[in-house]
Amino acid sequence: MAPGALNVGHSAHSNELHRLLQGRETRWYKGRLLRLNLILLLLLITSSTNGYDGSMMNGLQTLSTWKGYFGDPQGGLLGLFNAIQNIGGIAGLPFAPYISDRFGRRMTIFLGCILMLIATAIQTAAQNIGMFIGARFLIGFGLSFACIAAPVLITELAYPTHRAPITSLYNSTWYLGSIIAAWTTFGTFRIDSTWGWRIPSLVQGAPSALQVLLIWFCIPESPRWQIDHGQDAKAMKTLCYYHCNGDESDPLLNFEYNEIKDAIRLEKLANKSSTYASLFTNPGNRRRMLIIIPIAFFSQWSGNGIVSYYLGKTLDGVGIRSEGQKNLINGILQVYNLVTAYIGALVVDKAGRRLLFLTSTAGMCVSYAVWTACAATYAKSYTTVDADGYPIGANTSAGNAVLASIFFYYGFYNIALSPLLVSYTVEILPFRIRSKGLMVMQMCVSASLVFNQYVNPIAMDALDWKYYIVYTCWIAFEFCYLYWAVVETKGKDGRARPLEEIAQLFDGEQAHEDLQFYGQALESGRPGEAAGGVKEKGEFDDEKLSGEHVERVERL
């Protein structure tokens, strides 16, 4: 395929890819695709590290040994315990894209894992509050590096027909870590010593240790990063081995290589630098950020931030008050979350991004409305409490309905906001700003989490169930915004669309044709004739462009 092929339009590229994939073995568990997907599985567990940390802290706070050792932290100190990991993430995020773009995706993951292993050791051995808080800050700092590089490497390595589902599995795997943490604390809460909380802290380092041991031996570097850094031969070798089963004559190899090469060349023409400012300097990038930034906040401001708070309160009211029972229900909820999030990830190409986003927000809104009504009924069903502060004569049916509403709510949340938060972000961002755009998204998520951890408890104490009305109205707004903003990126009939082609959905095919035209003319040894056989209209000298070429350049 000739390097100038971008000017044939994005529909032709999807058709060409579809033609090249016809008749070949594309099942994920066959041939070298199995090896590639096992490698990507090793990268997916980066997200589980993040999920483990959040769920572990919720679990530790139910352990009497943890509360007793650290003096049962309350108020601002407890808020700091919960927020410090996200604060560490915010501190590390601005640096992660530069390391990822300069030194590679693998080096960035390796550095993040080393920092997390150091932090895990400090946290496990913590002798006081200061050590524990400092360790959690360092965990967040290191995790920010791994969480920027891992999903980018996944989407840049994945086989074309597997890219969207497996990248969507990345953020969904957050729940795998959450499940492990929930069941680990369920298994250690009976230990009547500090090992009741030190063991969960120690287990947190297992995924990072595995990645450190294997990353230089099993995981290849991104072929897109290699091409951008002049390592074309290495990129061709990676694409050939994993995507073409080692067949150097496979036409898919030339298609992918030329697609990547052309896209990176055109991105350099459009943006001489890949700074954070470039995220907002042209209409296409601004359109991307008008989607990425809101969905980052929607992912944490859709009411999920108060579920863990109200879940415990609801269980108290329906007679489920022991630590063991609460941890058991929390563990079941996390398994349910993982299954529903994986379902959303695996149907992303068939269902489409818009349908999943809109179904998710509509379902959450209805679930929250039912939740609000049942919570109000429950709150008004009793007037007194017992000596331990538990309601007397409460409507247990309404309490059970609230619990059911939480499960329905999470089912709808998980089909879109879990799998698509990261995968949709990385697929709509061009290569040269992919890491930086993902950083902005992660920064917004961390900022919204810090807000939740400080504001939600205050609002819940002041408003109780009435606070859910706020979220019901907010989720309705989310639906309207996503209906207006989300651009569908799936190909026809669920076909894989080349990653480089998706940029044209935001920048416009005309902009890419103009850049292609301009680049060919600049590279041509004959100023009156563009490379690839495209003839210029009119005459112009070596230093000036005129006619149709001038019109195209001015549109840039």
Side-chain angles (χ1 to χ4, degrees), residues 213-347:
L213 291 174
L214 298 178
I215 194 164
W216 299 114
F217 305 101
C218 299
I219 302 176
E221 184 54 84
S222 162
R224 288 165 174 84
W225 183 87
Q226 289 171 331
I227 290 172
D228 188 52
H229 286 74
Q231 302 174 19
D232 293 40
K234 291 181 179 180
M236 291 279 282
K237 184 177 179 180
T238 300
L239 292 171
C240 179
Y241 185 87
Y242 290 103
H243 289 194
C244 304
N245 207 31
D247 183 1
E248 295 182 359
S249 64
D250 191 332
L252 179 62
L253 175 60
N254 285 331
F255 176 86
E256 289 195 277
Y257 171 75
N258 286 322
E259 186 88 357
I260 296 168
K261 185 82 170 178
D262 277 358
I264 291 175
R265 181 172 65 92
L266 295 184
E267 286 179 35
K268 289 180 179 178
L269 282 174
N271 297 288
K272 298 298 183 182
S273 63
S274 56
T275 63
Y276 286 108
S278 63
L279 294 171
F280 305 95
T281 52
N282 66 60
N285 287 347
R286 287 194 293 272
R287 189 179 184 188
R288 292 180 177 96
M289 300 315 293
L290 281 173
I291 301 174
I292 291 170
I293 292 175
I295 65 172
F297 283 100
F298 293 168
S299 72
Q300 305 304 322
W301 286 359
S302 293
N304 48 314
I306 59 175
V307 169
S308 58
Y309 176 88
Y310 196 73
L311 180 61
K313 188 176 181 180
T314 301
L315 296 179
D316 286 341
V318 298
I320 301 173
R321 303 177 182 181
S322 74
E323 290 182 4
Q325 288 177 307
K326 289 180 181 179
N327 277 300
L328 178 61
I329 291 176
N330 183 49
I332 294 172
L333 178 61
Q334 300 313 316
V335 174
Y336 169 80
N337 287 339
L338 179 69
V339 171
T340 51
Y342 273 12
I343 290 173
L346 295 175
V347 303

